[in-house]
Amino acid sequence: MKIPLLLLTILVALPSLGQISLTLNPHCGDFEPVFTDVEVLDLREGQKLVGFIHKGITNKPEQIVFTGNMADSLVPFFKAPNGDLKTPKKLVFILNELFMNENTKSVPKTGKLKLSTRLFIKNDLETYSEILTTDSIFTVKGFDVTKKLFRLVSDELCNLSKTAAKTENNRERPVLTRSELEHFDSLEISKLPIFSNQKPTSGIFKDYSHFKENKPDIEAEILVEKSKKGKFTAYRIFGSRRKKVQLETSGFYAISDGIKLFKATSEGLFEIKKIDHKLFYDRAGSFTDPGNAGIYFGMAGAMIAFSLSPHKINLFRFKINHRRGNSIPMGIVE
């Protein structure tokens, strides 16, 4: 998947931070994979950056990167060492998300891994059926969290391979062509009104399920004002006298004034922008800001607790996951 030109302004590889490379171990104990032909499609936006850790006594933030070819490195987890199996089985493995981070302020330290994948098996004809989907958050605790996180990635890939090996193909499920798998995200997005419609409906979206359908839980006239400092404030307009009532944003998913969309978080509103039918928003943060101590992992707009500099305020970019509405960290806007 090509990264839109506008996203090239994001510093996915942050030069002033140290780096540590993710290593994968495809040896899954006594289990041997069963697929004779495996193809991996890495559909992540930023394919090098896979997370952040905090290293040493000072908890210095460092990037977790994968320096090789992720798609090639995942194949051994699923491909049978002996390709002469009597029943050839082809698998297409789609990687949508692989991201990890640590929370060093918790006791014991906590590490989280976000893994989103989809597995398709080839039918007798030139079509593919989905046999397995995962969209999960995994947690590890302890002292050497980094080592546990790295091991967890390999362990969960092994678990996926084991589950896929014994999962029967459900021929009643929709089938796709190989070309459709290549553009699977785009096909799904095209069916979601909020991604494809040019004009959002004015109102308040309490959850992602209503947001993606462009059907506000509360359809109303909304006024959004922007301060000189760039902060957005939303008001609901009532009656013929057009009474303005300010809206608290912590209990909503998003708000629209009928022209623009805004991501609602406990820290305020952030304008959502559409790039190639995908939705993004930017928000500021700092590594040392106590209000931003939350780590991204399904939390509605929670900040990533890292930065280029421990005290510098930076602008982070997030992509809205079209499947479940969580915010995927993309990097720091230059």
Side-chain angles (χ1 to χ4, degrees), residues 38-275:
V38 178
E39 185 176 7
V40 176
L41 302 179
D42 187 358
L43 301 186
R44 296 172 300 138
E45 296 281 358
Q47 296 185 356
K48 182 178 180 181
L49 179 67
V50 293
F52 285 82
I53 65 166
H54 300 88
K55 190 175 181 181
I57 300 177
T58 60
N59 284 327
K60 180 182 178 182
E62 291 193 0
Q63 300 173 95
I64 305 174
V65 298
F66 192 80
T67 55
N69 184 301
M70 179 68 79
D72 291 345
S73 299
L74 294 183
V75 169
F77 283 92
F78 301 90
K79 188 172 183 179
N82 180 2
D84 298 327
L85 297 179
K86 293 182 179 180
T87 306
K89 299 176 70 175
K90 179 172 182 178
L91 177 77
V92 174
F93 178 93
I94 296 178
L95 178 64
N96 291 116
E97 291 182 63
L98 195 167
F99 193 87
M100 63 191 81
N101 204 350
E102 294 181 5
N103 181 3
T104 58
K105 294 184 178 181
S106 64
V107 180
K109 294 180 180 180
T110 302
K112 290 181 180 291
L113 165 68
K114 176 68 172 63
L115 187 62
S116 179
T117 66
R118 306 186 82 158
L119 282 69
F120 294 80
I121 193 170
K122 186 178 180 180
N123 301 315
D124 295 335
L125 302 175
E126 292 298 317
T127 58
Y128 296 80
S129 297
E130 188 171 13
I131 60 169
L132 188 61
T133 301
T134 181
D135 194 1
S136 304
I137 296 169
F138 305 95
T139 303
V140 294
K141 296 182 179 181
F143 293 101
D144 197 348
V145 172
T146 304
K147 185 176 181 180
K148 290 182 178 180
L149 276 175
F150 282 21
R151 182 65 251 175
L152 179 64
V153 176
S154 295
D155 286 346
E156 291 305 326
L157 289 170
C158 285
N159 288 336
L160 280 174
S161 184
K162 294 174 184 178
T163 303
K166 59 185 180 182
T167 301
E168 297 294 330
N169 185 3
N170 185 349
R171 297 183 181 275
E172 295 182 359
R173 301 193 67 174
V175 296
L176 297 97
T177 65
R178 174 60 184 78
S179 177
E180 288 174 328
L181 290 181
E182 190 80 37
H183 307 284
F184 196 44
D185 279 3
S186 298
L187 289 173
E188 289 187 324
I189 287 174
S190 68
K191 299 176 183 178
L192 301 177
I194 200 64
F195 290 85
S196 57
N197 286 0
Q198 294 298 315
K199 185 178 180 180
T201 303
S202 179
I204 301 168
F205 303 90
K206 291 184 178 180
D207 53 45
Y208 179 69
S209 62
H210 289 87
F211 175 80
K212 68 180 181 180
E213 297 297 332
N214 197 20
K215 295 180 179 179
D217 299 81
I218 303 174
E219 195 167 335
E221 182 178 356
I222 303 294
L223 174 66
V224 178
E225 296 179 346
K226 185 177 182 180
S227 70
K228 293 181 179 180
K229 294 183 178 181
K231 182 178 180 180
F232 294 103
T233 303
Y235 302 89
R236 182 177 177 182
I237 308 301
F238 288 90
S240 58
R241 296 184 179 182
R242 301 185 59 76
K243 180 181 178 182
K244 291 179 14 178
V245 177
Q246 184 174 339
L247 296 173
E248 297 292 336
T249 60
S250 58
F252 305 135
Y253 181 84
I255 292 174
S256 173
D257 61 2
I259 300 175
K260 296 181 178 180
L261 287 167
F262 299 88
K263 185 71 177 69
T265 77
S266 58
E267 300 297 321
L269 296 173
F270 300 91
E271 185 177 353
I272 298 173
K273 298 179 180 179
K274 185 181 294 184
I275 306 172

